[in-house]
Amino acid sequence: QVQLVESGGGVVQPGGSLRLSCAASGFAFSSYNMHWVRQSPGRGLEWVAFILFDGSHEKYADSVKGRFTVSRDNSRNTLYLQMNSLRAEDTAMYYCAKTHDYGDHSDYWGQGTLVTVCS
Amino acid sequence: DIQLTQSPSFLSASVGDRVTITCRASQAISSYLAWYQQKPGKAPKLLIYAASTLQSGVPSRFSGSGSGTEFTLTISTLQPEDFATYYCQQVNSYPLTFGPGTKVDIK
């Protein structure tokens, strides 16, 4: 069965960095585009980043462009999100999500990893 | 960017009720719309994609309709496990965007 397991969240000071990981199993990871989506406490969902199946193309939300970098290692079935210059407003649960066979919506999500940015 | 609005923001209903949630897009998105259900402390779950296609394993009491700028999610007969927050998402163009959510609560 499809499994996505995020890790790497934690508490970091403003201006700091974190790298999130998402370990994928149960499907052909190298064949699927992937997303990162976040949700601030008590708030709605915000799409953060997208990466093509082969890692050749990425897209970012304006709110993270220039600070976050999405990447993947298809040999390790792992998705990453490098987050630099973190701000208080980046505090959120971060989910990795697999795209569907028939579009860029997400049919499987991880359980999330919590990032808290505070001094 | 394409903005999505949902109505109502909050809905109080009883088991057995028929529930309809509306999602409106700021510009036409054809049928590139998905619906998700999220329960507290859990990840979102895909219910509907391409505006009206039921995701595998989702009960048939859920249905979606619409195209262009106006879409609806209908739960034909509300069950206890359906009390949750529902989000629409447009996948027509990047940046992908979500609606603000509709919380369905027990009356």
Side-chain angles (χ1 to χ4, degrees):
Chain A
Q1 71 281 20
V2 172
Q3 273 203 307
L4 297 168
V5 180
E6 301 94 336
S7 61
V11 180
V12 62
Q13 291 187 334
S17 298
L18 274 178
R19 188 175 84 153
L20 307 184
S21 299
C22 170
S25 61
F27 67 104
F29 178 72
S30 61
S31 298
Y32 285 89
N33 305 333
M34 297 290 293
H35 295 294
W36 285 99
V37 176
R38 69 184 180 184
Q39 186 169 34
S40 301
R43 303 289 297 276
L45 299 163
E46 180 187 14
W47 170 79
V48 172
F50 161 93
I51 187 167
L52 211 59
F53 67 98
D54 61 358
S56 64
H57 189 62
E58 306 137 38
K59 297 178 191 286
Y60 298 94
D62 285 347
S63 58
V64 307
K65 201 173 293 183
R67 301 187 298 123
F68 289 13
T69 302
V70 59
S71 63
R72 64 192 298 161
D73 184 341
N74 284 345
S75 68
R76 296 177 183 267
N77 287 349
T78 303
L79 177 72
Y80 301 101
L81 186 68
Q82 178 66 43
M83 304 187 297
N84 298 332
S85 303
L86 282 161
R87 306 167 179 166
E89 54 265 35
D90 296 318
T91 294
M93 182 72 77
Y94 284 75
Y95 297 100
C96 64
K98 168 189 168 293
T99 58
H100 196 272
D101 284 344
Y102 302 118
D104 281 353
H105 47 279
S106 300
D107 55 357
Y108 289 94
W109 299 61
Q111 85 289 349
T113 188
L114 183 62
V115 172
T116 303
V117 184
C118 69
S119 53
Chain B
D1 298 3
I2 297 173
Q3 311 301 320
L4 297 179
T5 58
Q6 287 183 235
S7 59
S9 302
F10 181 85
L11 187 159
S12 187
S14 301
V15 171
D17 285 354
R18 181 181 180 89
V19 166
T20 298
I21 298 168
T22 298
C23 176
R24 290 185 175 87
S26 60
Q27 62 190 81
I29 58 170
S30 185
S31 296
Y32 293 103
L33 190 101
W35 289 97
Y36 300 88
Q37 175 194 68
Q38 188 179 33
K39 297 182 179 179
K42 300 293 188 183
K45 173 187 174 183
L46 178 66
L47 299 175
I48 301 279
Y49 64 93
S52 61
T53 303
L54 195 67
Q55 170 67 357
S56 175
V58 173
S60 59
R61 62 181 180 272
F62 291 93
S63 64
S65 65
S67 67
T69 61
E70 187 155 333
F71 303 85
T72 59
L73 172 71
T74 299
I75 309 172
S76 60
T77 307
L78 199 66
Q79 297 299 304
E81 60 268 31
D82 300 337
F83 292 97
T85 300
Y86 294 84
Y87 295 94
C88 56
Q89 180 198 32
Q90 68 81 18
V91 294
N92 178 77
S93 61
Y94 283 82
L96 304 187
T97 48
F98 290 88
T102 295
K103 185 175 182 180
V104 178
D105 211 340
I106 302 172
K107 183 182 283 185

